[in-house]
Amino acid sequence: MPTSLHALSSSMTARLVVLAAWLLGSWSAHAVEPAALEKMAHEFLTPALAAALPKDAALPLRAEVIMGSLDTRLKLAPCDRVEPHLPNGTRLWGRSRIGLRCVEGPTRWNVYVPVTVKAWGPAWVLKRAVPAGNTLTQEDAEIAEIDWAEQRSSVLALPERWVGQLAAFPLTAGLALRENMVRAPQAFGAGAQVRVSGEGGGFSVSATGQALTAGMVGETARVKLPGGRVVTGVVRDAQTVELAL
């Protein structure tokens, strides 16, 4: 064979070898089907959901999961390893999503499977309407099963967290009581004379001072003592502010 033809043949052979190697490398990655990704997302969801449900319910919450689907027209590059994950700032609560990303493959990609998580359990539900500013009593609500995940605001599962609180806005019958619906009652206004007390380190303090801010039960208030010192404590009732010593 002439030298020029031999060189041309060798060059073409080399190119064919490189092309074959590239094709084999591409085909070695696994094809990705939407159905397989959805199954992976569901399997990831089960243990993740156990950690996501709140622990302050009177009884364990019963989770109900509605899995969404990926677009059937989606075409993804082959991938050797897909990793499920929760996107930053995402909580498995109400409408959410699970991420699936290719971490080993010729092309990196990231897709999301929509999911709706419901959490059924007992909660206090209003039997009647309560005007804004009115004090809530035990007789205003009864226990019923609701979807805790229907709203972002936390459910007030224990009566002591809402009995004696004020309606933050007009509340209608049938609403489950949540944190954003109540506010603490005002115990005293700015300028009122209050008793400041505290214990710690083997000694106790008790004095009468003037409230510099309005006092809401369970929240902090500033009080000026007779000597001019200003202290901050937690309002316990209409006359008492407790210091942490």
Side-chain angles (χ1 to χ4, degrees):
M1 178 182 295
T3 303
S4 59
L5 290 177
H6 178 74
L8 178 60
S9 176
S10 298
S11 176
M12 290 181 64
T13 301
R15 291 180 182 180
L16 287 172
V17 169
V18 171
L19 178 61
W22 181 84
L23 290 173
L24 288 173
S26 298
W27 291 339
S28 66
H30 302 294
V32 181
E33 297 295 333
L37 291 177
E38 292 165 9
K39 182 176 183 294
M40 185 180 296
H42 190 274
E43 291 172 349
F44 170 79
L45 179 66
T46 303
L49 189 58
L53 295 178
K55 304 299 187 292
D56 61 344
L59 295 171
L61 298 179
R62 175 173 55 84
E64 177 186 348
V65 177
I66 303 172
M67 293 292 298
S69 301
L70 292 170
D71 191 333
T72 55
R73 298 168 298 178
L74 190 64
K75 301 297 182 184
L76 297 172
C79 185
D80 283 323
R81 186 161 70 90
V82 177
E83 179 182 84
H85 67 97
L86 278 181
N88 290 335
T90 298
R91 182 188 178 196
L92 291 175
W93 193 250
R95 296 182 64 180
S96 187
R97 59 181 183 164
I98 296 174
L100 295 150
R101 57 193 170 205
C102 177
V103 294
E104 288 183 12
T107 302
R108 301 299 175 92
W109 44 258
N110 194 14
V111 295
Y112 301 95
V113 178
V115 60
T116 299
V117 176
K118 296 185 178 184
W120 297 98
W124 291 96
V125 175
L126 289 172
K127 296 187 292 185
R128 50 180 173 250
V130 179
N134 277 26
T135 302
L136 288 159
T137 68
Q138 184 82 53
E139 291 69 35
D140 288 324
E142 60 186 355
I143 288 288
E145 186 176 63
I146 69 154
D147 174 16
W148 283 43
E150 187 178 20
Q151 296 181 26
R152 290 288 178 180
S153 184
S154 298
V155 169
L156 299 175
L158 304 175
E160 52 266 33
R161 296 188 61 193
W162 58 270
V163 172
Q165 299 288 296
L166 307 182
F169 50 85
L171 304 178
T172 59
L175 284 177
L177 288 167
R178 297 176 182 266
E179 284 187 349
N180 65 327
M181 298 179 182
V182 302
R183 60 180 175 83
Q186 181 173 308
F188 52 78
Q193 294 295 306
V194 296
R195 185 171 64 88
V196 177
S197 64
E199 296 183 3
F203 64 93
S204 61
V205 174
S206 181
T208 299
Q210 183 182 38
L212 297 179
T213 57
M216 315 292 283
V217 175
E219 299 183 7
T220 59
R222 297 171 64 239
V223 180
K224 184 178 181 180
L225 299 179
R229 181 185 175 191
V230 176
V231 296
T232 300
V234 177
V235 179
R236 294 306 180 196
D237 54 42
Q239 296 180 325
T240 307
V241 175
E242 186 178 281
L243 303 179
L245 301 178

